[in-house]
Amino acid sequence: MTVHHATVKVHSQLHKPQFHDVTGDVVAAVAASGIAMGTVNVYSQHTTCSVLIQEEAMDQTLDGVELLLQDMANYLERIAPTCRHEGQYLHPGPKHLAYAEAHGEEGWWSLNTDAHLRSVLLGRSETIPVLDGKPELGEFGRVYFADFDGVRQRDRTVHFTVIGE
Amino acid sequence: MTVHHATVKVHSQLHKPQFHDVTGDVVAAVAASGIAMGTVNVYSQHTTCSVLIQEEAMDQTLDGVELLLQDMANYLERIAPTCRHEGQYLHPGPKHLAYAEAHGEEGWWSLNTDAHLRSVLLGRSETIPVLDGKPELGEFGRVYFADFDGVRQRDRTVHFTVIGE
Amino acid sequence: MTVHHATVKVHSQLHKPQFHDVTGDVVAAVAASGIAMGTVNVYSQHTTCSVLIQEEAMDQTLDGVELLLQDMANYLERIAPTCRHEGQYLHPGPKHLAYAEAHGEEGWWSLNTDAHLRSVLLGRSETIPVLDGKPELGEFGRVYFADFDGVRQRDRTVHFTVIGE
């Protein structure tokens, strides 16, 4: 039995939900671990992001989002609408804004409450079986790192922890 | 420390959301592993299915769905309504449909977008502590494999990965 | 490689969704395990509770709920509204109520269907990487045990399972 940890950086450029396909990174982390059977946990420590598994849709929207992911973003928009004005959500409150200002952050960077809510709804990680040295994703399954924080460009870290033998 | 992997096949017959109680299979996989303490991951590689834990409801609907699961299906119907016509969702797009046709699939098999969306919302797996050689589910907790793909009958595989000592 | 299991008890007092910050307990369980690298699974066997990760909001509502968690409770109220009368949901059915009565439970204790539904939606556990002997939560990430069962006061158990080396 052994454990192997790896990370990869992704860069969120667009000012809207962005989905990074990290399937190749999951496969690479499992291969690097030398583990034939066990599990791989794919995780985001960012509280406005999620890790999810979805089928590759093949077709994309005009600005490059896979159709299944855009269909998902559309229902998330109904559950936790994009924050468009102060007071739409309770958060951010005055203590949070004062803290942000004292640490060199712009106040409007905190108008990302929708992203915090979507992140919890879809969950922070997925744990995938490893068989024959590969993550078990089926024929068309892909692992996506979802960045729901549309208020600014961000560098993000994705964690892979492989456990097994 | 050791790792043990097992699978079970289930068959989804009904043309609507179907819930397979796999609690006995989880218990059996943990027992077969010989592991007394650790975790068991219950996982679906199918992108239109989920694994979930719920209390046994005892009562059922007229067609055999436990009441708590039907209450759940009812709110999923509001979030991601059953696909009833082309164009209801963005997916499936023309590339996907051409690919399906080229691989011997009927086009209407792809009108399962609602199932893809529900699968991500509820998640692909659960990881459950193993104590004294048994999954810790409380007195009435049951593990269900949910198949949301109502467009056709399908054979499905459920994965169990037990890690511990 | 080793595995370490610990539990902590929390007491839910308020007759509404309550969120217990168990971050310190996660950190303590990882430290007690002596494990430097691996994963920690935080789990609820209670079918009306969830485990989730969210940023600390700093500000609170008038009755002490962090603003991000109250924003979350507000959209959960739209998806699975608090049960206010019999017949609002299919569950509980007559067999369940007869069983509860036969086991000394009050019938109205079963009017917690909304809590069962929210528990599945947000999930029963989170699995977090352990690095340098600490759970990887980012600067402001907190682990919350959510108790959605507002019909009565309850003692609850939270499970921590650390695996690694």
Side-chain angles (χ1 to χ4, degrees):
Chain A
M1 291 288 293
T2 184
V3 55
H4 175 81
H5 177 262
T7 59
V8 68
K9 296 272 186 192
V10 297
H11 182 72
S12 300
Q13 279 192 295
L14 302 176
H15 284 213
K16 58 179 179 179
Q18 188 167 1
F19 303 97
H20 302 275
D21 187 334
V22 296
T23 313
D25 302 297
V26 181
V27 170
V30 171
S33 75
I35 288 169
M37 180 165 64
T39 58
V40 54
N41 175 261
V42 187
Y43 174 85
S44 159
Q45 91 265 35
H46 304 289
T47 54
T48 51
C49 301
S50 289
V51 171
L52 59 100
I53 305 171
Q54 186 53 281
E55 187 177 81
E56 197 174 2
M58 298 179 181
D59 302 88
Q60 299 182 340
T61 62
L62 297 174
D63 53 8
V65 179
E66 294 207 19
L67 294 193
L68 274 173
L69 299 174
Q70 187 60 51
D71 278 322
M72 186 183 77
N74 291 350
Y75 77 63
L76 291 174
E77 185 64 35
R78 293 195 301 273
I79 293 174
T82 299
C83 188
R84 304 216 178 269
H85 63 83
E86 291 176 48
Q88 183 173 339
Y89 293 99
L90 292 165
H91 173 84
K95 283 184 193 169
H96 177 93
L97 288 169
Y99 181 93
E101 190 181 12
H103 289 75
E105 295 203 355
E106 300 289 337
W108 54 267
W109 291 0
S110 295
L111 295 180
N112 61 356
T113 310
D114 53 296
H116 284 289
L117 302 183
R118 296 171 187 193
S119 167
V120 166
L121 189 62
L122 296 194
R124 202 58 50 81
S125 73
E126 289 284 353
T127 300
I128 303 161
V130 170
L131 295 171
D132 297 327
K134 288 174 200 156
E136 177 65 32
L137 289 168
E139 199 176 352
F140 300 111
R142 311 293 296 179
V143 183
Y144 296 95
F145 176 86
D147 191 339
F148 296 116
D149 193 343
V151 299
R152 53 177 164 151
Q153 294 194 25
R154 299 286 282 274
D155 287 314
R156 302 295 201 172
T157 303
V158 194
H159 291 265
F160 310 99
T161 310
V162 197
I163 295 179
E165 63 186 9
Chain B
M1 290 289 293
T2 185
V3 55
H4 175 81
H5 177 261
T7 59
V8 69
K9 295 270 185 193
V10 296
H11 182 72
S12 300
Q13 279 191 294
L14 302 175
H15 284 213
K16 58 181 180 177
Q18 188 167 359
F19 303 97
H20 302 275
D21 186 334
V22 296
T23 313
D25 302 297
V26 181
V27 170
V30 171
S33 75
I35 288 168
M37 181 163 65
T39 58
V40 53
N41 175 262
V42 186
Y43 173 84
S44 160
Q45 91 266 34
H46 306 289
T47 55
T48 51
C49 301
S50 288
V51 171
L52 59 98
I53 304 171
Q54 188 51 282
E55 186 177 80
E56 198 174 1
M58 298 180 182
D59 302 87
Q60 300 182 340
T61 63
L62 297 175
D63 54 7
V65 179
E66 294 207 19
L67 295 193
L68 273 172
L69 299 173
Q70 187 60 49
D71 278 322
M72 186 184 76
N74 292 349
Y75 78 64
L76 291 174
E77 186 65 36
R78 293 195 301 272
I79 293 175
T82 299
C83 187
R84 305 215 177 269
H85 64 84
E86 292 175 49
Q88 182 173 339
Y89 293 99
L90 293 165
H91 173 84
K95 284 185 193 169
H96 178 93
L97 288 169
Y99 181 93
E101 190 182 12
H103 289 75
E105 296 203 354
E106 300 289 337
W108 54 266
W109 292 359
S110 295
L111 295 180
N112 59 357
T113 310
D114 52 297
H116 284 289
L117 302 183
R118 295 171 187 192
S119 168
V120 167
L121 188 62
L122 296 195
R124 203 57 50 82
S125 73
E126 288 286 351
T127 300
I128 304 161
V130 170
L131 296 171
D132 297 327
K134 290 176 200 154
E136 177 66 31
L137 289 168
E139 198 175 354
F140 301 109
R142 309 294 295 178
V143 183
Y144 296 95
F145 177 86
D147 190 339
F148 295 117
D149 192 342
V151 300
R152 53 176 164 152
Q153 295 195 25
R154 298 285 282 275
D155 286 313
R156 303 295 202 172
T157 303
V158 194
H159 291 265
F160 310 100
T161 311
V162 197
I163 294 180
E165 65 186 11
Chain C
M1 290 287 291
T2 186
V3 55
H4 174 82
H5 177 262
T7 59
V8 69
K9 296 271 187 192
V10 297
H11 182 72
S12 299
Q13 278 192 295
L14 301 176
H15 285 213
K16 59 179 181 179
Q18 187 168 0
F19 303 97
H20 302 275
D21 186 334
V22 295
T23 313
D25 302 297
V26 181
V27 170
V30 171
S33 76
I35 289 169
M37 180 164 64
T39 58
V40 54
N41 174 262
V42 187
Y43 174 84
S44 160
Q45 91 265 35
H46 304 289
T47 54
T48 50
C49 301
S50 289
V51 171
L52 60 99
I53 305 171
Q54 187 52 281
E55 187 177 81
E56 197 173 3
M58 298 177 182
D59 301 87
Q60 300 182 340
T61 62
L62 297 174
D63 52 8
V65 179
E66 294 206 21
L67 293 193
L68 274 173
L69 299 174
Q70 186 60 49
D71 278 322
M72 187 183 75
N74 291 349
Y75 79 62
L76 290 174
E77 185 65 34
R78 293 194 301 271
I79 294 175
T82 299
C83 188
R84 305 214 177 269
H85 63 83
E86 292 175 49
Q88 183 173 338
Y89 293 99
L90 293 166
H91 175 84
K95 283 184 193 170
H96 177 94
L97 288 169
Y99 181 93
E101 190 182 11
H103 289 75
E105 294 204 353
E106 301 288 339
W108 55 266
W109 292 359
S110 295
L111 295 180
N112 59 356
T113 310
D114 52 296
H116 285 289
L117 302 182
R118 296 172 186 192
S119 167
V120 167
L121 188 64
L122 296 194
R124 202 58 49 82
S125 73
E126 289 285 351
T127 300
I128 304 160
V130 170
L131 296 171
D132 297 327
K134 289 176 201 156
E136 178 63 33
L137 289 167
E139 197 174 356
F140 301 110
R142 310 294 295 180
V143 184
Y144 297 95
F145 177 86
D147 190 340
F148 295 117
D149 193 344
V151 299
R152 52 176 165 152
Q153 294 195 25
R154 299 285 281 275
D155 285 314
R156 303 294 202 173
T157 303
V158 194
H159 291 265
F160 310 99
T161 311
V162 197
I163 294 180
E165 66 187 10

